[in-house]
Amino acid sequence: MARCLVTGGAGFIGSHLTERLLELGHEVIVLDNLSTGRQENLSHVTGNPRLSIRNGSITDPVLLSETTVGVDVIYHLAAAVGVKLVADDPVRTIETNIYPTEVLLRSAATARQRVFLASTSEVYGKNPKERWTEEDDLHFGPTSRPRWAYGCSKAIDEFLALAYHRKFGLPVVIGRFFNVVGPRQVGHYGMVIPRFVDQALQGGPVVVYDDGEQVRCFAHVKEVVNAIIRLVETPAAQGLVYNIGSDAAVSIRQLAQEIIQRVDPRIRIQYLAYREAYGDDFEDVRRRVPVVSRLESTIGYKPSMTLGEILDDIIRWKREQRDAGRRS
Ligand code: UDP
């Protein structure tokens, strides 16, 4: 049994990770300021005696260093995430994503704690390659476009983590998430699947930005958290960056159609210009597909649930939420 700290543990991915760690018999401390995370994400496990929840921000260095004392593994997931949030508040993105990571890495290096650093496929920016491997170049747009602040902030975190690994031998693993989805993900910050499912359950239309030919790969959060835990438990993964996600590509238009087929085939798609959705200074990433062979060869596993299985699970959860809301 290990004592684990999960920063951002009340968030979408963090809460699934917390639940899984508890299932495996570990002790978990969650540090979350509930800005984008939600208390109810942990409602299934709040009574667990091996879980403690600290309500506070990773931007508070005193709280952060107090919370790390005596911990064996730190899963650092707390961050300003979501393209919409980042576009709306670039100052918060930079302040939340950079300085606290440095504080945490420094103390982990001193205490010799293992660290998982959550990063993002946004670090590849708009690299035009068909499929991205971990050693590919980062292609950011101009600093006048706030979207790139997110990927840049996480790239700095990665540089810091790798530097602490090289200089101080910090046992850190970096995971770049590719469109992780599943129950508990909310659509307020721009995430496409919960938005489409909500729109479909309300009778439509489903609002696709631009022409819908943008391409993404969606991975179920349960498979992703298993991959994270295995990476942390694999010494050969230390000091490396991993793409974590599915490599099954789908266009956003196909995604909308799959959801419509499952909810009500009469629902129509409405196309909306990026400018109207995000404002003038927005740039999308047209194609985002990972190569996940490094992950597969290290842990013998990659996310493999089909899009259909993933959508069924999310639609089921959304319907349950809606029905519970009607009853209360
Ligand atoms: N998207 C869309 N309608 C929405 C939200 C997103 O068509 O209501 C598109 C968006 O333009 C992008 C894709 O879906 O091309 C994935 O968007 P998301 O914000 O989920 O993730 P990311 O852009 O970070 O991959």
Side-chain angles (χ1 to χ4, degrees):
M1 187 193 81
R3 202 173 148 87
C4 309
L5 168 64
V6 181
T7 71
F12 158 56
I13 303 178
S15 64
H16 284 277
L17 177 64
T18 298
E19 230 173 73
R20 185 72 188 126
L21 289 167
L22 290 168
E23 266 170 29
L24 292 169
H26 299 297
E27 194 180 319
V28 183
I29 302 158
V30 162
L31 177 62
D32 201 300
N33 67 350
L34 303 178
S35 58
T36 53
R38 292 175 306 157
Q39 191 97 47
E40 71 198 67
N41 285 344
L42 293 170
S43 59
H44 302 302
V45 286
T46 31
N48 190 311
R50 282 181 282 106
L51 172 67
S52 55
I53 303 175
R54 300 288 303 262
N55 186 343
S57 173
I58 52 160
T59 57
D60 173 349
V62 176
L63 176 65
L64 191 60
S65 60
E66 259 173 39
T67 320
T68 56
V69 173
V71 157
D72 305 304
V73 191
I74 299 168
Y75 293 91
H76 183 40
L77 275 68
V81 293
V83 167
K84 192 169 184 314
L85 177 81
V86 167
D88 290 348
D89 198 345
V91 171
R92 176 166 153 205
T93 302
I94 295 165
E95 285 177 352
T96 312
N97 292 2
I98 300 178
Y99 182 61
T101 303
E102 192 185 353
V103 171
L104 206 139
L105 291 170
R106 199 180 315 126
S107 81
T110 312
R112 300 220 51 83
Q113 291 154 323
R114 279 179 286 158
V115 178
F116 173 81
L117 174 70
S119 184
T120 163
S121 50
E122 278 282 317
V123 299
Y124 293 101
K126 48 186 173 177
N127 188 313
K129 282 183 65 177
E130 290 276 295
R131 296 169 359 117
W132 298 340
T133 67
E134 291 85 350
E135 298 307 316
D136 280 335
D137 291 344
L138 314 186
H139 282 229
F140 295 121
T143 49
S144 55
R145 294 186 181 245
R147 176 182 191 132
W148 308 118
Y150 178 44
C152 263
S153 67
K154 280 297 182 179
I156 291 174
D157 283 355
E158 291 193 13
F159 280 124
L160 279 168
L162 294 173
Y164 274 89
H165 174 75
R166 286 196 195 110
K167 190 160 179 191
F168 304 109
L170 175 72
V172 61
V173 186
I174 298 165
R176 291 180 179 164
F177 297 144
F178 280 72
N179 293 80
V180 181
V181 297
R184 298 185 201 146
Q185 188 177 39
V186 291
H188 320 318
Y189 312 108
M191 283 38 175
V192 65
I193 292 189
R195 291 170 77 84
F196 282 4
V197 173
D198 281 339
Q199 290 162 352
L201 290 177
Q202 282 159 22
V206 167
V207 184
V208 168
Y209 299 156
D210 199 58
D211 60 0
E213 291 306 312
Q214 316 86 295
V215 169
R216 296 289 187 275
C217 301
F218 296 95
H220 196 286
V221 63
K222 290 219 179 290
E223 296 195 299
V224 166
V225 301
N226 283 331
I228 296 172
I229 296 168
R230 287 205 208 180
L231 280 174
V232 165
E233 289 172 354
T234 307
Q238 289 170 10
L240 290 173
V241 177
Y242 286 86
N243 287 341
I244 304 183
S246 158
D247 53 2
V250 64
S251 75
I252 296 303
R253 185 206 303 254
Q254 281 168 281
L255 172 72
Q257 285 163 346
E258 291 263 355
I259 291 171
I260 288 172
Q261 280 311 315
R262 284 176 158 71
V263 175
D264 177 357
R266 290 167 302 180
I267 290 169
R268 60 180 196 88
I269 294 180
Q270 181 194 327
Y271 292 91
L272 187 72
Y274 285 132
R275 188 177 4 93
E276 287 173 56
Y278 294 114
D280 274 336
D281 55 2
F282 182 76
E283 250 186 290
D284 201 8
V285 174
R286 294 295 294 179
R287 185 182 167 85
R288 172 183 287 162
V289 181
V291 173
V292 285
S293 49
R294 181 181 283 182
L295 179 74
E296 210 178 353
S297 65
T298 303
I299 61 170
Y301 168 83
K302 69 172 182 179
S304 60
M305 271 175 79
T306 64
L307 182 63
E309 291 167 335
I310 295 173
L311 292 177
D312 286 342
D313 194 38
I314 297 172
I315 293 168
R316 178 198 49 76
W317 172 74
K318 281 277 184 194
R319 285 196 166 120
E320 272 172 27
Q321 293 275 103
R322 186 190 56 184
D323 296 347
R326 278 189 188 146
R327 280 197 299 275
S328 63

